[in-house]
Amino acid sequence: MSRPPAFLAFLCGTLATVSWSIGSILSKAALCRIDPLSLLTGQLAASAASLTVLSIWSGAPPRLSDWRAGLPGILQPALASSLSIFGLSMMPVSLEAMLFAVEPPMIILLAWLVLSEVPNLAIVFLSLLAFAGVCVLSWGSGPGSSSTHELGVALVLAGVFFASLYSIAIQVMSQKIDALRLTTASQIVAFAVVASAWVGIRPLPTLSVVMDDITLVVSSGLLLLSIPFLLYGMALQRMSATGAALLLPLVPMLTSVLASIFLQETLTATQWIGAAAVLISALGTPLALGTRPHPGKESI
Protein backbone atom coordinates (compact mmCIF):
# COMPACT_ATOMS: atom_id res chain seq x y z
CA MET A 1 0.00 0.00 0.00
CA SER A 2 1.43 3.40 -0.99
CA ARG A 3 1.92 5.99 1.70
CA PRO A 4 -0.38 9.03 1.63
CA PRO A 5 0.97 12.29 0.15
CA ALA A 6 0.52 14.01 3.52
CA PHE A 7 2.93 11.55 5.11
CA LEU A 8 5.50 12.04 2.34
CA ALA A 9 5.25 15.81 2.70
CA PHE A 10 5.70 15.54 6.47
CA LEU A 11 8.70 13.23 6.03
CA CYS A 12 10.39 15.52 3.49
CA GLY A 13 9.79 18.56 5.67
CA THR A 14 11.09 16.83 8.80
CA LEU A 15 14.26 15.61 7.06
CA ALA A 16 14.81 19.16 5.80
CA THR A 17 14.72 20.51 9.36
CA VAL A 18 17.24 17.88 10.50
CA SER A 19 19.57 18.82 7.62
CA TRP A 20 19.22 22.54 8.36
CA SER A 21 20.10 21.95 12.01
CA ILE A 22 23.23 19.94 11.26
CA GLY A 23 24.25 22.45 8.59
CA SER A 24 23.88 25.32 11.08
CA ILE A 25 26.19 23.60 13.55
CA LEU A 26 28.80 23.03 10.85
CA SER A 27 28.47 26.64 9.69
CA LYS A 28 29.08 27.95 13.20
CA ALA A 29 32.20 25.77 13.43
CA ALA A 30 33.39 27.02 10.03
CA LEU A 31 32.96 30.67 11.06
CA CYS A 32 35.81 30.19 13.53
CA ARG A 33 38.15 29.89 10.52
CA ILE A 34 36.43 31.54 7.55
CA ASP A 35 34.81 34.95 7.15
CA PRO A 36 31.00 34.90 6.65
CA LEU A 37 30.85 36.02 3.00
CA SER A 38 33.59 33.62 1.87
CA LEU A 39 31.89 30.79 3.74
CA LEU A 40 28.50 31.46 2.15
CA THR A 41 30.05 31.77 -1.31
CA GLY A 42 31.74 28.39 -0.92
CA GLN A 43 28.58 26.80 0.46
CA LEU A 44 26.50 28.08 -2.45
CA ALA A 45 29.11 26.86 -4.93
CA ALA A 46 28.92 23.36 -3.46
CA SER A 47 25.13 23.47 -3.34
CA ALA A 48 24.63 24.77 -6.89
CA ALA A 49 27.16 22.27 -8.27
CA SER A 50 25.57 19.28 -6.53
CA LEU A 51 22.07 20.24 -7.66
CA THR A 52 23.27 20.78 -11.23
CA VAL A 53 24.84 17.31 -11.27
CA LEU A 54 21.63 15.82 -9.85
CA SER A 55 19.55 17.63 -12.50
CA ILE A 56 21.78 16.35 -15.31
CA TRP A 57 21.65 12.82 -13.88
CA SER A 58 17.85 12.97 -13.72
CA GLY A 59 17.67 13.96 -17.38
CA ALA A 60 16.59 17.57 -16.82
CA PRO A 61 19.74 19.73 -17.01
CA PRO A 62 19.44 23.43 -16.13
CA ARG A 63 18.47 25.69 -19.00
CA LEU A 64 19.28 29.34 -19.60
CA SER A 65 15.56 30.15 -19.54
CA ASP A 66 15.39 28.86 -15.96
CA TRP A 67 16.62 32.22 -14.66
CA ARG A 68 12.99 33.26 -14.09
CA ALA A 69 12.42 30.20 -11.93
CA GLY A 70 15.57 31.08 -10.01
CA LEU A 71 14.45 34.57 -8.98
CA PRO A 72 13.26 33.38 -5.51
CA GLY A 73 16.92 32.54 -4.87
CA ILE A 74 17.54 36.27 -4.47
CA LEU A 75 15.31 36.16 -1.40
CA GLN A 76 16.69 32.89 -0.07
CA PRO A 77 19.48 31.93 0.18
CA ALA A 78 21.10 35.08 -1.29
CA LEU A 79 19.57 37.70 1.04
CA ALA A 80 18.27 35.58 3.92
CA SER A 81 21.40 33.43 4.28
CA SER A 82 23.77 36.38 3.80
CA LEU A 83 22.08 38.33 6.58
CA SER A 84 21.72 35.37 8.92
CA ILE A 85 25.31 34.11 8.50
CA PHE A 86 26.66 37.54 9.43
CA GLY A 87 24.29 37.52 12.40
CA LEU A 88 25.43 34.01 13.30
CA SER A 89 29.02 35.24 13.51
CA MET A 90 27.89 37.54 16.35
CA MET A 91 25.91 35.09 18.50
CA PRO A 92 25.58 31.44 19.59
CA VAL A 93 24.06 29.16 16.95
CA SER A 94 21.25 28.15 19.32
CA LEU A 95 20.15 31.78 19.68
CA GLU A 96 20.29 32.34 15.92
CA ALA A 97 18.11 29.27 15.39
CA MET A 98 15.65 30.46 18.04
CA LEU A 99 15.31 33.83 16.32
CA PHE A 100 14.49 31.96 13.10
CA ALA A 101 11.61 30.32 14.97
CA VAL A 102 9.53 33.44 14.30
CA GLU A 103 9.49 32.32 10.65
CA PRO A 104 6.45 29.99 10.93
CA PRO A 105 4.00 32.63 12.24
CA MET A 106 5.44 35.10 9.73
CA ILE A 107 4.83 32.63 6.88
CA ILE A 108 1.33 31.92 8.17
CA LEU A 109 0.60 35.66 8.22
CA LEU A 110 1.99 36.17 4.72
CA ALA A 111 0.14 33.09 3.44
CA TRP A 112 -3.06 34.54 4.84
CA LEU A 113 -2.44 37.94 3.22
CA VAL A 114 -0.98 36.76 -0.11
CA LEU A 115 -2.41 33.28 -0.70
CA SER A 116 -5.66 33.60 1.27
CA GLU A 117 -4.74 30.52 3.32
CA VAL A 118 -6.92 31.18 6.36
CA PRO A 119 -5.46 29.20 9.30
CA ASN A 120 -7.83 26.88 11.16
CA LEU A 121 -7.98 26.68 14.95
CA ALA A 122 -5.66 23.65 15.12
CA ILE A 123 -2.98 25.45 13.11
CA VAL A 124 -3.35 28.57 15.24
CA PHE A 125 -3.00 26.48 18.40
CA LEU A 126 0.10 24.67 17.12
CA SER A 127 1.66 27.96 16.04
CA LEU A 128 1.07 29.47 19.47
CA LEU A 129 2.42 26.33 21.16
CA ALA A 130 5.56 26.43 19.01
CA PHE A 131 6.01 30.15 19.68
CA ALA A 132 5.59 29.59 23.42
CA GLY A 133 8.12 26.76 23.30
CA VAL A 134 10.63 28.95 21.50
CA CYS A 135 10.10 31.75 24.03
CA VAL A 136 10.87 29.31 26.85
CA LEU A 137 13.89 28.04 24.93
CA SER A 138 15.11 31.60 24.47
CA TRP A 139 14.80 32.42 28.16
CA GLY A 140 18.36 32.98 29.27
CA SER A 141 19.49 31.52 25.96
CA GLY A 142 22.77 30.10 27.06
CA PRO A 143 26.35 31.27 27.43
CA GLY A 144 27.30 34.44 25.60
CA SER A 145 23.75 35.57 24.87
CA SER A 146 24.12 38.65 27.11
CA SER A 147 26.91 39.96 24.82
CA THR A 148 24.95 39.40 21.61
CA HIS A 149 25.24 42.49 19.48
CA GLU A 150 21.97 44.19 18.58
CA LEU A 151 23.11 44.33 14.99
CA GLY A 152 23.36 40.54 14.88
CA VAL A 153 19.78 40.16 16.09
CA ALA A 154 18.55 42.71 13.55
CA LEU A 155 20.39 40.92 10.72
CA VAL A 156 18.93 37.52 11.62
CA LEU A 157 15.38 38.90 11.89
CA ALA A 158 15.78 40.58 8.49
CA GLY A 159 16.92 37.21 7.16
CA VAL A 160 13.79 35.61 8.62
CA PHE A 161 11.62 38.06 6.70
CA PHE A 162 13.27 37.27 3.36
CA ALA A 163 13.14 33.53 4.11
CA SER A 164 9.40 33.84 4.75
CA LEU A 165 8.88 35.65 1.46
CA TYR A 166 10.84 32.85 -0.24
CA SER A 167 8.47 30.21 1.14
CA ILE A 168 5.48 32.11 -0.23
CA ALA A 169 7.13 32.56 -3.65
CA ILE A 170 8.09 28.88 -3.84
CA GLN A 171 4.58 27.84 -2.85
CA VAL A 172 3.17 29.82 -5.79
CA MET A 173 5.77 28.70 -8.35
CA SER A 174 5.75 25.04 -7.29
CA GLN A 175 2.30 24.69 -8.82
CA LYS A 176 3.88 24.59 -12.28
CA ILE A 177 7.59 23.89 -11.79
CA ASP A 178 9.22 20.69 -10.55
CA ALA A 179 10.90 20.95 -7.13
CA LEU A 180 14.35 19.92 -8.39
CA ARG A 181 14.32 22.39 -11.26
CA LEU A 182 13.03 25.18 -9.02
CA THR A 183 15.58 24.53 -6.28
CA THR A 184 18.49 24.20 -8.73
CA ALA A 185 17.64 27.44 -10.51
CA SER A 186 17.21 29.30 -7.20
CA GLN A 187 20.57 28.09 -5.87
CA ILE A 188 22.38 28.99 -9.10
CA VAL A 189 20.91 32.50 -9.08
CA ALA A 190 21.76 32.88 -5.39
CA PHE A 191 25.34 31.76 -6.04
CA ALA A 192 25.67 34.27 -8.90
CA VAL A 193 24.44 37.11 -6.66
CA VAL A 194 26.58 36.23 -3.63
CA ALA A 195 29.69 35.42 -5.69
CA SER A 196 29.37 38.79 -7.46
CA ALA A 197 29.21 40.53 -4.08
CA TRP A 198 32.21 38.51 -2.86
CA VAL A 199 34.31 39.44 -5.91
CA GLY A 200 33.24 43.06 -5.62
CA ILE A 201 34.18 43.30 -1.96
CA ARG A 202 37.33 41.18 -2.24
CA PRO A 203 38.59 41.61 -5.85
CA LEU A 204 41.97 40.02 -5.04
CA PRO A 205 41.25 37.58 -2.21
CA THR A 206 44.08 35.79 -0.49
CA LEU A 207 43.02 32.21 0.13
CA SER A 208 44.84 29.95 2.54
CA VAL A 209 42.58 26.93 2.80
CA VAL A 210 43.34 23.45 3.99
CA MET A 211 41.54 20.21 3.26
CA ASP A 212 39.63 20.39 6.57
CA ASP A 213 38.27 23.81 5.59
CA ILE A 214 37.18 22.57 2.17
CA THR A 215 35.46 19.56 3.71
CA LEU A 216 33.68 21.77 6.24
CA VAL A 217 32.52 24.25 3.59
CA VAL A 218 31.27 21.56 1.20
CA SER A 219 29.51 19.48 3.86
CA SER A 220 27.86 22.52 5.45
CA GLY A 221 26.82 23.77 2.00
CA LEU A 222 25.14 20.47 1.15
CA LEU A 223 23.42 20.11 4.54
CA LEU A 224 22.43 23.77 4.91
CA LEU A 225 21.42 24.56 1.32
CA SER A 226 21.01 21.94 -1.41
CA ILE A 227 19.58 19.00 0.57
CA PRO A 228 17.10 20.82 2.85
CA PHE A 229 15.91 23.27 0.18
CA LEU A 230 15.17 20.41 -2.21
CA LEU A 231 13.35 18.45 0.50
CA TYR A 232 11.41 21.52 1.64
CA GLY A 233 10.45 22.28 -1.95
CA MET A 234 9.13 18.74 -2.29
CA ALA A 235 7.13 19.24 0.90
CA LEU A 236 5.66 22.49 -0.43
CA GLN A 237 4.48 20.64 -3.55
CA ARG A 238 2.31 18.41 -1.34
CA MET A 239 1.07 20.76 1.38
CA SER A 240 0.18 24.39 1.94
CA ALA A 241 2.72 27.04 2.91
CA THR A 242 0.98 27.22 6.29
CA GLY A 243 1.33 23.48 6.90
CA ALA A 244 4.99 23.41 5.85
CA ALA A 245 5.72 26.38 8.13
CA LEU A 246 4.55 24.40 11.15
CA LEU A 247 7.51 22.03 10.71
CA LEU A 248 10.09 24.82 10.97
CA PRO A 249 10.03 25.07 14.80
CA LEU A 250 11.84 21.72 14.78
CA VAL A 251 14.96 23.55 13.55
CA PRO A 252 15.68 25.59 16.73
CA MET A 253 14.86 22.59 18.92
CA LEU A 254 17.22 20.25 17.05
CA THR A 255 19.88 22.93 16.69
CA SER A 256 19.80 23.63 20.42
CA VAL A 257 20.24 19.93 21.20
CA LEU A 258 23.14 19.58 18.76
CA ALA A 259 24.75 22.80 20.00
CA SER A 260 24.62 21.50 23.57
CA ILE A 261 26.37 18.29 22.47
CA PHE A 262 29.01 19.60 20.07
CA LEU A 263 29.44 23.30 21.00
CA GLN A 264 28.76 23.08 24.76
CA GLU A 265 25.85 25.53 24.49
CA THR A 266 23.97 23.80 27.27
CA LEU A 267 20.22 23.91 27.79
CA THR A 268 18.64 24.45 31.18
CA ALA A 269 15.78 22.33 32.54
CA THR A 270 13.36 25.13 31.62
CA GLN A 271 14.68 25.24 28.08
CA TRP A 272 14.15 21.49 27.73
CA ILE A 273 10.48 22.10 28.55
CA GLY A 274 10.38 24.60 25.70
CA ALA A 275 12.03 22.08 23.39
CA ALA A 276 9.35 19.54 24.31
CA ALA A 277 6.60 22.06 23.45
CA VAL A 278 8.17 22.69 20.04
CA LEU A 279 8.45 18.96 19.38
CA ILE A 280 4.81 18.34 20.34
CA SER A 281 3.77 21.15 18.01
CA ALA A 282 5.72 19.66 15.10
CA LEU A 283 4.45 16.13 15.73
CA GLY A 284 0.88 17.44 15.74
CA THR A 285 1.31 18.85 12.24
CA PRO A 286 -0.14 15.84 10.33
CA LEU A 287 -3.29 15.96 12.46
CA ALA A 288 -3.71 19.68 11.80
CA LEU A 289 -3.31 19.44 8.04
CA GLY A 290 -6.66 19.54 6.36
CA THR A 291 -5.10 20.50 3.04
CA ARG A 292 -5.47 18.15 0.09
CA PRO A 293 -2.47 17.49 -2.14
CA HIS A 294 -2.01 19.94 -4.95
CA PRO A 295 -2.78 18.82 -8.49
CA GLY A 296 0.00 17.32 -10.56
CA LYS A 297 2.69 19.77 -11.67
CA GLU A 298 3.30 20.67 -15.26
CA SER A 299 6.82 21.18 -16.48
CA ILE A 300 7.34 24.45 -18.29
Side-chain angles (χ1 to χ4, degrees):
M1 180 181 297
S2 61
R3 294 189 181 275
F7 174 83
L8 294 177
F10 177 73
L11 179 61
C12 289
T14 301
L15 291 175
T17 64
V18 173
S19 185
W20 266 316
S21 299
I22 299 175
S24 295
I25 298 297
L26 294 178
S27 294
K28 182 61 177 179
L31 285 170
C32 297
R33 311 184 197 176
I34 308 170
D35 69 273
L37 187 57
S38 295
L39 174 60
L40 181 59
T41 303
Q43 289 175 331
L44 281 169
S47 174
S50 64
L51 288 169
T52 299
V53 170
L54 180 59
S55 297
I56 295 173
W57 178 79
S58 66
R63 299 174 295 187
L64 185 60
S65 59
D66 285 349
W67 69 268
R68 293 183 183 85
L71 290 179
I74 298 176
L75 297 172
Q76 169 75 309
L79 287 174
S81 294
S82 295
L83 293 167
S84 62
I85 202 165
F86 275 98
L88 178 60
S89 66
M90 304 175 187
M91 65 182 68
V93 63
S94 55
L95 178 57
E96 187 259 358
M98 291 168 193
L99 290 173
F100 252 90
V102 303
E103 185 178 358
M106 190 175 294
I107 291 176
I108 290 172
L109 176 61
L110 290 173
W112 184 12
L113 297 176
V114 178
L115 304 179
S116 300
E117 292 183 3
V118 181
N120 58 38
L121 291 178
I123 288 177
V124 171
F125 171 77
L126 289 175
S127 298
L128 293 175
L129 180 62
F131 180 75
V134 169
C135 289
V136 174
L137 266 170
S138 303
W139 188 268
S141 52
S145 62
S146 59
S147 61
T148 298
H149 199 279
E150 291 183 0
L151 176 60
V153 175
L155 288 174
V156 172
L157 291 178
V160 172
F161 175 73
F162 287 116
S164 302
L165 287 177
Y166 169 83
S167 291
I168 298 300
I170 289 296
Q171 171 66 21
V172 174
M173 298 180 69
S174 66
Q175 306 304 305
K176 295 183 178 180
I177 304 176
D178 175 76
L180 177 57
R181 180 184 167 198
L182 188 55
T183 305
T184 302
S186 296
Q187 298 282 317
I188 291 175
V189 168
F191 170 68
V193 172
V194 173
S196 297
W198 183 70
V199 172
I201 293 175
R202 303 178 58 178
L204 294 174
T206 301
L207 298 179
S208 57
V209 297
V210 296
M211 185 56 64
D212 288 345
D213 293 336
I214 295 175
T215 301
L216 196 55
V217 170
V218 172
S219 58
S220 63
L222 295 177
L223 289 169
L224 189 65
L225 298 173
S226 58
I227 295 174
F229 277 93
L230 178 58
L231 289 171
Y232 194 68
M234 294 170 64
L236 281 170
Q237 283 188 321
R238 295 168 172 84
M239 67 169 67
S240 66
T242 297
L246 287 173
L247 290 170
L248 295 178
L250 270 177
V251 177
M253 190 275 292
L254 293 172
T255 303
S256 297
V257 172
L258 293 175
S260 69
I261 296 173
F262 296 104
L263 303 178
Q264 287 73 53
E265 295 180 7
T266 57
L267 295 178
T268 65
T270 302
Q271 288 173 329
W272 278 111
I273 295 175
V278 174
L279 180 59
I280 292 172
S281 172
L283 292 177
T285 298
L287 299 178
L289 290 178
T291 307
R292 291 182 174 85
H294 296 300
K297 310 297 178 290
E298 297 178 0
S299 180
I300 62 174

